[in-house]
Amino acid sequence: MGGMIRFHNTLGGRIEDFVPLEPGRVRLYTCGPTVYDFPHIGNWRAYVFEDLLKRFLKYSGFGVTHVMNITDVEDKTIRDSKARTVEELKRYTAKYIDAFMAERDLLNIQPADRYPRATEHIPEMVGLVKTLLAKGFAYRKDGSVYFAIDKFPAYGRLSRVNLEERRPGSRGDADEYEKESVHDFALWKAPKEGEPFWETEIGPGRPGWHIECSAMSARYLGRTFDIHCGGVDNIFPHHENEIAQSEAANGVKFVNYWLHCHHLVVNGQKMAKSKGNFYRLADVLARGGCDALDVRYLLVSTHYRKMLDFTFEALKQARTARQRMGDFLGTLGDVPPEAAGQAPVEPLLATARAGFTAGLGDDLNIAEALAAVFTLIKDANPLLVQGRVSKAGADKLAAFMGEVDGVLGVRPSPAVSLSGKIGGAGPAAGTADVLESGIRAKIEERQRARAARDFKRSDEIRGELLAMGIILEDTKDGVRWKRVVPPKP
Ligand code: AMP
Ligand code: ZN
């Protein structure tokens, strides 16, 4: 379907035609959450971008094998869990893994094919470290094993770090460090008093963060695969080190295309707990007035290589845009079966589909893709209002909107609306906003309860809504609601 797809490859810094290793199949690895805390909306920006990429590849006819790791052991999980054993560490990280999966579902992100956990792939990591020692790329020091970056001439190619600044033989134990201190990094860390560790062939200890992704990607995607993603903060040192480890050990190219999304900031500032501008998805939803898929719309609608400035004003605009899609679907649904208008919708559809596909195929140019969709809505709406579109035409338009949403995943819904049009029974003037937003808040609270597997609370809310005359229906496209009785004036 469509023409050539092009992506900006961080490796080389150019736009390139996308050609997978195996025709028709894409092997995709995306760095997953470090589960020492709940994800924040910046993390979700990265995961939503990766979801858009994956959905678009599928839409373009590729099969996609997607692996996302779960980093459940590294510096931060050990620090924050204060775990003394692997079992304690796993207990600590379990709740953050659950939270990640629940929020992923709220944001309608398609699950990866696999979520390998670092703690369950220690043998693969040890194998890789052994190879690096045997090939002379790694050395032992005080019970730890380090990668000698001087032994790997291609070091620095991805991030273009300045290798002149480094002090030969300097090494660091921290998983994350600044570009200013380019140094040998730990592949395997000697056990520390009171910290979890594994007894292995290369000695007791725990893996460094970077070796985890090298080992797990090779295990599930092979030594060479197509696309590797993450946020720009992952480029150095994480991805630079992944390349060094994998290519030094395997002697083949690690990844063909590196795609990195830019950061999400809040009101132009870096998100930080100390600044009070640090948001989790739940924090955003708790303020009311929007649902998780409005947040998704906002995250998806800014080009992934641009900085995304999160503001509640921008979120409101995202909600309005998504609602415009929902309203359009509602209008299409209202076209009666006997409608036999003659307005040709095919040319409009062909233009919209071409624009949508060409936009996304051009390094996921979402602005162009969305412009094609909204132009269609703008052009079709007057025809619909004038009753010039046949039922068959309306169905074709609706099918296209479904196709679009297979990629965007924002589930615009004619049923969830503040306008009170649902079920034909509009609320009395003056009460609409209060009543409707109350209903919406309850529906969202119930979705959160369901995501947290709190089915008791979820059922209670269903009861409360029924008492307000609202009946809920859980469909594969999300929750729909109807009025059983018109609201009291
Ligand atoms: P972490 O859990 O810190 O390893 O991060 C998980 C993913 O979120 C990685 O791909 C990061 O690059 C990405 N990420 C972290 N912070 C942000 C941010 N503010 N904006 C966009 N992506 C981010
Ligand atoms: Zn990684």
Side-chain angles (χ1 to χ4, degrees), residues 334-347:
D334 287 344
V335 173
E338 66 279 8
Q342 297 294 313
V345 297
E346 278 80 5

Side-chain angles (χ1 to χ4, degrees), residues 29-32 69 71 209-210 212-214 216 228-230 234 238-239 242 258:
Y29 187 90
T30 59
C31 286
N69 67 297
T71 302
W209 172 33
H210 320 299
E212 300 180 3
C213 286
S214 282
M216 293 188 282
H228 194 314
C229 298
N234 280 164
H238 186 48
H239 290 164
E242 281 186 38
W258 288 88

